[in-house]
Amino acid sequence: MNSKDLVDLVKVARQAATAYGRPDLEKRLSIVSATVADDRARVLVMGEFKAGKTELVNAVLGGRALPTDAHRATTVPTVCVHGAQRAVTLVRAVEGGQEQQQIGPGQLAEHVTEAGNPDNRAGWSHAEATLPVDVLEGMRLVDTPGAGGLASPASVSTMAELPGADAMLLVCDAGRELTAPELALVRTAAAVCHTVAVVLTRTDLHPHWRRIADLDRGHLDHAHESLRRVPVLPTSAALALHAAEHDEASLLAESGLPELRDLLRSEVVGGRHARRTRMATDEVLVVCEQLAARFRAERDALADPGRAQRISDELERSKARVVALRDRAARWQQTLNDGTQDLVSDIEYDLRDRLRTVTTDAEAALDDTDPAKTWEQFAPWLHQQVSAAVSTNVVWAEERTRWLAERVATHFAEDGAGVLPPMASPEGQVMAADPVGLLAAPDHEKFGLSQSLMIGMRGSYGGVLMIGMMTTIAGMALLNPFSVGAGLLLGSKTLVDERKRALRRRQAEAKQAVRRHVDDVIFQAGKNSRDMLREVQRTLRDHFTTTAEELERSLNATSQAAKAVEADGAKRQARLADVAAELERLEALEKRARRIRESVGAARLVGA
């Protein structure tokens, strides 16, 4: 079964909804049609700095499509998509939308690597490379920056994109074991992505890669039960590229790339297509059930006019249950409202708790150093810690949001049992993490040579005067060795004490700057999370309310059809034939939807 069959199925269902006078159902299917139209899976390729991510992407593509360098890293995410002609588009986020710029494929390195765009000074959000490569069909392969490690701002910003991804490939060098941050990333990704894999690179450079693969497998098995299904795939991009250039099939098999491509094709692309197919066919089946209910009731009433009243009574009771679903006191409404309030509280507490830990660690670090000397190293470190905390909070909020959506859907279905047709759960909202600004340096008091001399002279003046006055009693001059020595001693002590007080002031000012920065982050990130949860609440409320309204309208049409029973036998028989024909059409559409759904399930079993 291909995508065209699914698109045609949804198109026919929309035509049926329009023909039977149900614009509400047609609108519902139009959303499904738009979802099915773009069925490309999003795959994030993540990893540490210079782990070989871009080289691996090139190996998957079967050629050197993206720029690589032994010393210069990628600074801008590059999205690889399938297309008939090679093209590159640079995208920058601007107020009110996006700014795009077309460049030649040969100019990509000037904009996405450190060679031409260090630290992404141009401010590009991503680059989109269109390539005529078959492996990209049905997939968006994203080469992400890894500058500075998995705790860098670029990587934690990419981690915030995990809830919207279908798969994540963690690229690691085959010469070492998985680190604790990498295991934490895999565990986070496994909670929100359908497919996660650890890809070992450069096996051609490390003879002991098999032992590393076994150790990594053990780390994943012991880290968490959910990570036991995460595969570890040893690969060599250099061998794969050499095999592609010289058309050597045996060398390509030895590189390990065929297994990775099979994973992308079957688990990622096939898995997304299967999920979209199940969602679309479920929606078509819901529409068929609502359209057919009207004709079934009319058919039963026409076949036995004496049953018309009983059918109408049953429909009225069903309508009362549906009306109760729309009431604000309905259980699913209470679950949604209470759950949203609980989520707001829990997510805000989680964010504050994470950032409080960051603040405590930052203040402890400031106690052991002079902010004026170490600020250039301290500010990026704090930025990394804050970004990591915010991004982790975003991913956790996404998990809790999906859990709430499933719980509301369950209660809605339970309250409408026997009335509601099978439903597809609404798509979850993806919360994005706004970038966190860098920490501004406080205005530290300057403590130069002239200021040190002034402080020393001010402290020595009292010592010279005090000891000099005492020695004049013994007939000595005001300035004598004793008074000068006392002045030097007190001046030195005053200078040392003042330096300590200045250090404490700088530390206090730095701590205050950290607290203000964290407060600003909590204010902005907290507002973002509350806005996201309110949007989720509105989306779920509108979805289930619309579902109840659609069913109520179907029941009203069914009730009217059951009551409109012709007394004349000839007319009744003619109408009965028409109703039977309409039911046959809807049953044929329903069978077609079930056949497409079952074909996807059978294909998944064969692939497994």
Side-chain angles (χ1 to χ4, degrees):
M1 197 279 298
N2 53 39
S3 299
K4 186 176 181 300
D5 295 333
L6 188 61
V7 173
D8 291 341
L9 173 69
V10 178
K11 181 180 179 181
V12 172
R14 292 180 64 183
Q15 293 173 347
T18 302
Y20 293 129
R22 293 298 304 273
D24 53 335
L25 297 180
E26 194 280 333
K27 181 180 178 180
R28 177 175 182 169
L29 290 173
S30 67
I31 299 175
V32 176
S33 180
T35 303
V36 172
D38 186 6
D39 198 24
R40 289 179 292 185
R42 183 176 176 86
V43 182
L44 298 181
V45 181
M46 300 183 63
E48 290 280 5
F49 174 78
K50 302 305 293 181
K53 298 182 294 297
T54 304
E55 191 178 23
L56 177 68
V57 171
N58 284 336
V60 171
L61 299 177
R64 303 185 186 278
L66 303 184
T68 58
D69 191 277
H71 306 289
R72 296 180 176 90
T74 301
T75 58
V76 177
T78 305
V79 183
C80 301
V81 297
H82 182 266
Q85 300 292 333
R86 287 180 176 268
V88 176
T89 304
L90 299 174
V91 181
R92 179 192 289 121
V94 296
E95 186 177 355
Q98 292 181 337
E99 175 187 342
Q100 297 185 354
Q101 177 181 336
Q102 298 288 335
I103 63 173
Q107 299 175 309
L108 185 60
E110 303 174 9
H111 299 275
V112 302
T113 67
E114 289 181 340
N117 186 18
D119 298 327
N120 191 19
R121 294 175 183 173
W124 300 114
S125 59
H126 70 275
E128 184 168 308
T130 304
L131 303 167
V133 180
D134 293 341
V135 74
L136 286 175
E137 290 186 359
M139 179 171 56
R140 293 177 180 268
L141 192 60
V142 185
D143 178 28
T144 65
L150 293 176
S152 67
S155 292
V156 296
S157 297
T158 304
M159 188 176 73
E161 300 293 329
L162 283 174
D166 295 278
M168 190 276 287
L169 303 180
L170 178 63
V171 180
C172 307
D173 194 288
R176 60 167 179 80
E177 303 174 43
L178 286 171
T179 61
E182 288 173 335
L183 285 172
L185 176 60
V186 173
R187 183 171 178 177
T188 300
V192 295
C193 293
H194 293 280
T195 303
V196 178
V198 175
V199 183
L200 301 183
T201 57
R202 300 167 181 162
T203 57
D204 54 300
L205 299 179
H206 305 289
H208 57 284
W209 63 265
R210 292 179 178 83
R211 181 171 177 271
I212 296 297
D214 292 338
L215 291 173
D216 289 345
R217 179 72 271 159
H219 292 326
L220 292 171
D221 291 341
H222 289 89
H224 196 264
E225 184 177 355
S226 63
L227 303 186
R228 294 178 181 176
R229 60 182 177 85
V230 175
V232 178
L233 305 176
T235 63
S236 171
L239 289 179
L241 290 171
H242 182 81
E245 292 171 356
H246 297 82
D247 196 18
E248 297 183 16
S250 59
L251 197 60
L252 179 62
E254 187 177 349
S255 69
L257 261 294
E259 289 80 3
L260 177 57
R261 289 173 179 169
D262 289 342
L263 175 73
L264 293 174
R265 182 174 57 254
S266 61
E267 291 295 327
V268 180
V269 177
R272 178 181 175 86
H273 180 66
R275 291 190 297 273
R276 286 291 183 265
T277 300
R278 287 194 292 268
M279 181 274 296
T281 52
D282 284 347
E283 292 289 348
V284 171
L285 291 173
V286 168
V287 170
C288 289
E289 178 65 26
Q290 294 199 36
L291 294 175
R294 163 193 169 186
F295 293 108
R296 291 196 191 100
E298 186 176 2
R299 179 194 59 189
D300 295 341
L302 289 170
D304 184 6
R307 293 183 55 194
Q309 186 59 44
R310 292 195 300 273
I311 294 174
S312 298
D313 294 341
E314 293 175 1
L315 291 172
E316 289 298 326
R317 288 192 292 269
S318 298
K319 285 166 58 178
R321 296 184 63 181
V322 172
V323 171
L325 285 175
R326 296 175 54 189
D327 191 271
R328 292 189 177 183
R331 185 168 62 140
W332 72 270
Q333 291 267 29
Q334 296 177 358
T335 301
L336 177 59
N337 295 333
D338 294 344
T340 302
Q341 294 177 8
D342 292 342
L343 280 185
V344 169
S345 176
D346 292 345
I347 292 172
E348 185 173 356
Y349 174 82
D350 178 79
L351 178 65
R352 288 182 176 275
D353 182 63
R354 294 179 189 277
L355 292 179
R356 183 176 61 178
T357 302
V358 172
T359 303
T360 302
D361 295 341
E363 291 181 349
L366 290 172
D367 286 335
D368 299 331
T369 186
D370 185 353
K373 298 179 180 179
T374 62
W375 192 261
E376 292 184 357
Q377 294 79 29
F378 175 79
W381 172 84
L382 181 67
H383 181 47
Q384 292 176 3
Q385 300 301 313
V386 171
S387 300
V390 173
S391 298
T392 304
N393 178 261
V394 167
V395 175
W396 183 74
E398 170 68 15
E399 293 182 56
R400 291 293 305 272
T401 301
R402 292 183 179 182
W403 171 82
L404 176 62
E406 293 174 358
R407 188 179 179 194
V408 172
T410 300
H411 288 177
F412 186 84
E414 289 176 351
D415 292 344
V419 179
L420 293 172
M423 293 188 306
S425 297
E427 293 288 326
Q429 297 284 325
V430 177
M431 175 182 172
D434 285 351
V436 181
L438 288 172
L439 175 64
D443 294 330
H444 296 302
E445 178 185 359
K446 303 298 181 182
F447 209 82
L449 178 61
S450 60
Q451 188 174 6
S452 299
L453 288 174
M454 292 299 296
I455 293 173
M457 291 176 64
R458 187 172 62 246
S460 64
Y461 174 78
V464 170
L465 184 61
M466 179 178 62
I467 301 300
M469 293 295 293
M470 293 177 63
T471 55
T472 56
I473 299 175
M476 300 177 67
L478 181 65
L479 294 178
N480 58 71
F482 296 103
S483 63
V484 172
L488 291 175
L489 179 63
L490 290 177
S492 300
K493 184 178 185 305
T494 302
L495 181 61
V496 171
D497 292 342
E498 185 61 27
R499 286 183 180 275
K500 290 181 179 179
R501 284 193 294 270
L503 175 60
R504 288 194 293 269
R505 283 197 299 271
R506 290 194 296 271
Q507 290 174 338
E509 291 171 356
K511 292 178 182 179
Q512 188 64 28
V514 169
R515 296 190 192 100
R516 287 197 300 268
H517 179 70
V518 171
D519 287 342
D520 291 341
V521 172
I522 291 175
F523 175 78
Q524 185 61 45
K527 182 180 185 305
N528 291 342
S529 64
R530 287 190 296 271
D531 290 345
M532 184 273 294
L533 289 172
R534 281 195 293 269
E535 182 63 25
V536 168
Q537 183 181 21
R538 285 191 290 267
T539 301
L540 292 175
R541 181 197 61 204
D542 295 344
H543 171 79
F544 291 111
T545 301
T546 301
T547 300
E549 291 174 351
E550 291 172 354
L551 188 57
E552 184 179 8
R553 184 168 180 176
S554 298
L555 290 173
N556 288 332
T558 302
S559 179
Q560 293 174 4
K563 293 178 180 177
V565 178
E566 295 287 348
D568 183 81
K571 292 182 178 181
R572 188 167 60 249
Q573 291 300 321
R575 179 56 184 167
L576 188 59
D578 293 340
V579 169
E582 298 296 342
L583 281 173
E584 287 180 4
R585 295 189 183 94
L586 290 173
E587 289 172 0
L589 181 61
E590 181 180 349
K591 289 179 181 178
R592 182 179 174 185
R594 294 188 184 279
R595 186 166 58 251
I596 291 176
R597 197 180 197 283
E598 292 170 359
S599 67
V600 172
R604 296 285 291 171
L605 290 175
V606 171

